Amino acid sequence: FSVPHEPTIAMVQEGVRLARLAACDMAIGLGGGSVIDAGKAIAAMLTNEGDLLDYLEVIGRGQKISKPSAPYIAIPTTAGTGAEVTRNAVLSSPEHQTKVSLRSRYMLPRLAVVDPELTYSLPPDVTAFTGLDALTQLIEPYVSHLANPLTDALCREGMSRVARSLRNAYHNDRDKAARQDMAIASLFGGLALANAKLGAVHGLAGPLGGMVSAPHGALCAALLPAVMAENVCALEKRQPEGEALKRYADVGAILIGDPGATPADACEWTGELCRDLGVLALGAYGLTESEFPILITKAKVSSSMRGNPIQLTDDELKKILLESL
């Protein structure tokens, strides 16, 4: 069953129909985050009665999944989302121009097979935006107010691996050491976000993905530098002695390899990385300033935004979008 783009509700419903028709009793997902998420949703609906909308957040009825999914094996072929170790599937609803999650502890894949060799054939642009998604999913849980010692260890190790290897993987698709580093970093990011949440990058990228046609990782990459900069600015103004600002300095120290790095250094390094990897601005995907108000409204109530280290104002969110446009 082919998943050519981010999964929609209709796509998952069709996958479930075909799986039942073939009397499938398990599922295997081989591909990027979209494939892995589609497989998780199909496996869940194979064993749970009713319609998919019965269980979806926001646009659905939000019922809890009551039965374990059909056994599911997740085999990622990108180093980005970490979806092979998370308990939700992000689905797009073109009718509502938004993306929502199907979420349950029962949706964790039974087995995850993470093999760096499966990422060797990734084109440079896909390597870039999936790799930057992985980096985002290491930075955001690390500065989240829900961070804990377990996720801290994963994030520190993962960020170190991205810092030394993403550029190499981008320039040489068969650099074994770089591909292994990125596969591990992606895995660690998935484990971290599942236990410490994300932040404003994903808080904006989620609803934005329902409004424009663009890969999720590309949107995260476009937003990451501006979100980091605005978070640091807001923390300096309102929580200058807080833990989160110190954690941004830690991020800088890990990425740059300098114990004396500052939060500003972390922002500068990340922005330079995005430029080096040819990250496109949000305007390239059709976003216009006139759409900011509805996007900000949706972002403020997204589950990812609840992990941000500080609550951002509408004006601060607008500034992020202007900087990323």
Side-chain angles (χ1 to χ4, degrees):
F1 181 72
S2 178
V3 180
H5 49 73
E6 292 187 356
T8 63
I9 293 169
M11 182 190 296
V12 170
Q13 289 171 329
E14 176 63 6
V16 173
R17 185 188 72 81
L18 292 173
R20 286 178 174 160
L21 191 65
C24 295
D25 57 7
M26 67 174 293
I28 302 172
L30 174 67
S34 294
V35 173
I36 303 299
D37 273 3
K40 280 192 283 190
I42 291 169
M45 291 308 299
L46 270 177
T47 55
N48 285 273
E49 298 175 354
D51 185 74
L52 181 57
L53 283 168
D54 292 336
Y55 303 101
L56 284 175
E57 300 173 348
V58 185
I59 62 172
R61 288 171 276 282
Q63 296 177 12
K64 288 188 176 181
I65 290 174
S66 60
K67 298 177 183 177
S69 299
Y72 181 52
I73 300 173
I75 310 173
T77 60
T78 64
T81 66
E84 67 275 10
V85 289
T86 59
R87 295 166 292 210
N88 70 302
V90 181
L91 308 179
S92 175
S93 174
E95 298 90 338
H96 298 87
Q97 285 197 313
T98 192
K99 294 199 296 187
V100 294
S101 279
L102 182 67
R103 193 185 307 273
S104 171
R105 63 188 178 91
Y106 289 130
M107 290 176 61
L108 194 66
R110 191 74 59 88
L111 175 68
V113 180
V114 181
D115 183 350
E117 289 191 27
L118 297 177
T119 69
Y120 284 2
S121 61
L122 286 181
D125 61 333
V126 181
T127 296
F129 64 68
T130 55
L132 286 165
D133 188 20
L135 177 60
T136 303
Q137 293 174 172
L138 293 160
I139 293 174
E140 291 200 308
Y142 187 74
V143 301
S144 167
H145 61 92
L146 296 169
N148 60 70
L150 176 62
T151 58
D152 285 352
L154 293 167
C155 292
R156 284 176 174 273
E157 179 67 17
M159 284 188 282
S160 177
R161 289 174 182 266
V162 173
R164 72 189 183 208
S165 291
L166 180 50
R167 281 187 175 90
N168 292 342
Y170 176 76
H171 291 294
N172 180 2
D173 62 359
R174 291 184 177 271
D175 184 322
K176 293 183 178 181
R179 289 297 186 182
Q180 178 167 308
D181 271 350
M182 292 308 302
I184 292 171
S186 175
L187 173 65
F188 284 5
L191 291 168
L193 74 89
N195 291 280
K197 287 196 175 291
L198 291 162
V201 174
H202 282 80
L204 287 162
L208 179 56
M211 298 169 63
V212 301
S213 179
H216 168 73
L219 299 179
C220 289
L223 287 161
L224 179 59
V227 168
M228 288 179 66
E230 197 59 32
N231 270 345
V232 167
C233 184
L235 288 165
E236 288 175 339
K237 288 178 182 176
R238 301 197 289 277
Q239 297 179 19
E241 303 302 321
E243 175 68 17
L245 200 56
K246 297 174 185 175
R247 284 178 169 262
Y248 270 111
D250 289 345
V251 171
I254 293 166
L255 296 178
I256 298 167
D258 178 3
T262 65
D265 292 331
C267 299
E268 183 179 348
W269 185 94
T270 305
E272 183 179 335
L273 175 65
C274 290
R275 288 190 292 273
D276 289 349
L277 300 187
V279 171
L280 299 177
L282 295 179
Y285 303 108
L287 182 69
T288 63
E289 192 171 344
S290 64
E291 296 171 290
F292 286 5
I294 184 64
L295 174 54
I296 290 170
T297 298
K298 290 180 178 181
K300 286 167 64 178
V301 297
S302 70
S303 60
S304 292
M305 193 66 81
R306 292 199 288 270
N308 206 57
I310 189 168
Q311 186 172 348
L312 297 173
T313 66
D314 286 14
D315 285 344
E316 287 167 339
L317 291 171
K318 182 178 179 180
K319 185 179 176 182
I320 288 169
L321 293 173
L322 283 170
E323 292 290 329
S324 306
L325 194 61

